[in-house]
């Protein structure tokens, strides 16, 4: 197939690497991609958020499938335009993508679908914020009601800090004050054809910048998959996945369909396993980053077949995706100053030595080639991904490779998958 992937991060690199590994031998195109992706796909200069430009390109170049990586093209209506032209696309239309783009919309869908989630109050004024903070209690959870790349959320016991965070976002619209949910987090991805869903293997993301879950929220600093500790509570990964499929994914997909906004693409369920059961903290309308980098290397089925089946309404006939026994750990290397003000343009070296570590490969997040050197072009720069038979082995490999990477001021967490290493 001729497949176009929109986006430029490590998630898109992971998708491209999975497609490239298939026996079928696809022709891969990425817009805009990055310096790492350039080794695995043909880079295309194209505004990925321009529905007309993407549709024209896909049509002229006889693209068989478009895979939308990030949220911005979804919210811009790129999938709608492609679908209208009859071009298979993996990614929801603008209306269904509101599941990610608007936290208020997501809450309403969950309520209608009877999906378990925390209590939330939508506040339009400072006075409403204050009374919601008092009603829902500490720790306080304050969220911007729009796309903020995982950075619009604050969780704090400090009321003044919660108020200050709300003040930042109030001028541009309402904020959500949520009930704090305590427990481990799980990211579970579902492929959806609008009607049927197929689950992938669960992963855990590390949202905070520093070890021990300290520091600000980020887009995600690392991940691992699968989650062996799910077995203690749910009997096994398959039981957990089945439960979330039945109680979360299927009702949400049915609800969206019944409202005339079918969701075709990747439903990302961000879950917290509380004492009182599984609760949804958020949905995303696309693959998670960095979880995808830990999930896709374990996928045994050809990814293109799954994405195309979803894009063309044929998931019902597709068997459950199978995953390798091998475990995966991904560590994000970020620029100094990330997430507030990443310093970009610095040279990054040592990647060949890193990639030479047994079981390791690299997924580039924000790199470009300048005058023969590789430079960082964003906050999250690189994902070091390691496979192994145990988490001890995979994380040792990942960190051996991270040690080979040189980037001035680089930040990374040293405790990715620590809880499952023994
Ligand atoms: P979100 O952008 O909604 O995914 O939130 C980012 C991160 O903030 C989540 O991954 C959680 O770690 C944390 N968080 C968000 N909402 C809650 C909540 N209601 N209770 C506890 N932690 C939360
Ligand atoms: N890893 C969090 C996200 O993709 O939103």
């Amino acid at each position: 197939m001729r497949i176009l992937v929109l986006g430029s991060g490590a998630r898109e690199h992971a998708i491209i690497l999975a497609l490239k590994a298939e026996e079928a031998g696809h022709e891969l195109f990425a817009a805009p991609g990055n310096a790492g992706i350039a080794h695995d796909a043909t880079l295309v200069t194209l505004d990925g958020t321009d529905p007309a430009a993407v549709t024209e390109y896909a049509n002229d170049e006889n693209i068989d499938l478009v895979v939308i990586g990030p949220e911005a093209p979804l919210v811009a209506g790129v999938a709608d335009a492609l679908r209208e032209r009859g071009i298979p696309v993996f990614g929801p239309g603008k209306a269904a993508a509101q599941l990610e783009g608007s936290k208020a919309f997501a809450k309403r869908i969950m309520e209608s679908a009877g999906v378990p989630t925390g209590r939330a109050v939508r506040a339009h004024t400072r006075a409403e914020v204050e009374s919601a903070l008092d009603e829902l209690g500490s720790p306080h959870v304050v969220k911007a009601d729009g796309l903020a790349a995982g950075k619009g959320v604050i969780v704090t016991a400090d009321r003044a800090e919660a108020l200050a965070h709300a003040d930042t976002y109030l001028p541009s619209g309402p904020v959500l004050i949520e009930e704090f949910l305590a427990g481990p987090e799980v990211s579970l991805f579902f492929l959806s054809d609008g009607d049927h869903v197929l689950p992938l293997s669960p992963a855990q993301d590390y949202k905070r910048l520093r070890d021990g879950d300290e520091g600000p929220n980020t887009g995600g600093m690392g991940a691992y998959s699968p989650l062996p500790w799910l077995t203690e509570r749910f009997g096994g990964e398959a039981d957990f996945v089945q439960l979330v499929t039945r109680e979360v994914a299927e009702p949400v997909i049915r609800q969206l369909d019944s409202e005339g906004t079918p969701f075709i693409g990747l439903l990302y369920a961000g879950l917290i396993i509380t004492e009182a059961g599984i609760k949804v903290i958020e949905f995303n309308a696309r693959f998670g980053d960095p979880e995808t980098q830990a999930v896709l290397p374990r996928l045994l089925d050809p990814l293109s077949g799954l994405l195309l089946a979803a894009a063309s309404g044929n998931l019902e006939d597709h068997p459950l995706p199978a995953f390798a026994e091998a475990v995966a750990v991904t560590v994000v290397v970020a620029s100094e100053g990330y997430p507030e003000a990443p310093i970009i343009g610095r040279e990054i070296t040592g990647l060949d030595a890193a990639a030479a570590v047994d079981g390791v490969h690299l997924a580039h997040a924000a790199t470009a080639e300048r005058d023969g050197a590789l430079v960082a072009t964003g906050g999250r720069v690189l994902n070091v991904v390691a496979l192994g038979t145990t988490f001890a082995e995979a994380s040792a490999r990942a960190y051996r490779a991270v040690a080979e990477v040189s980037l001035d001021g680089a930040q990374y967490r040293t405790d990715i998958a620590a809880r499952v290493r023994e």
Side-chain angles (χ1 to χ4, degrees), residues 248-269:
V248 175
E250 287 175 349
V252 162
I253 294 302
R254 261 199 310 271
Q255 182 64 30
L256 287 165
D257 193 33
S258 76
E259 296 193 9
T261 52
F263 187 102
I264 299 162
L266 192 114
L267 176 69
Y268 166 139

Side-chain angles (χ1 to χ4, degrees), residues 105-115 117 251-252 254-256 258-259:
F105 177 84
K107 282 282 181 197
R108 185 183 67 68
I109 293 291
M110 281 190 262
E111 206 170 290
S112 309
V115 166
T117 183
V252 162
R254 261 199 310 271
Q255 182 64 30
L256 287 165
S258 76
E259 296 193 9

Side-chain angles (χ1 to χ4, degrees), residues 14 51 66 72 77 79 125 169 179 190 217 223 247 249 265 275 284 296 343 391:
V66 179
T125 64
Y169 290 102
E179 169 191 8
F190 296 88
N217 262 317
E247 296 196 350
E275 292 290 328
N284 291 315
L296 290 186
I343 297 173
F391 281 107

Side-chain angles (χ1 to χ4, degrees), residues 189-210:
F189 302 157
F190 296 88
L191 305 159
S192 171
D193 65 3
D195 208 6
H196 296 92
V197 299
L198 285 181
L200 300 184
S201 181
Q204 189 163 49
D205 178 18
Y206 289 73
K207 294 252 166 63
R208 301 286 192 121
L209 180 67
R210 285 189 277 281

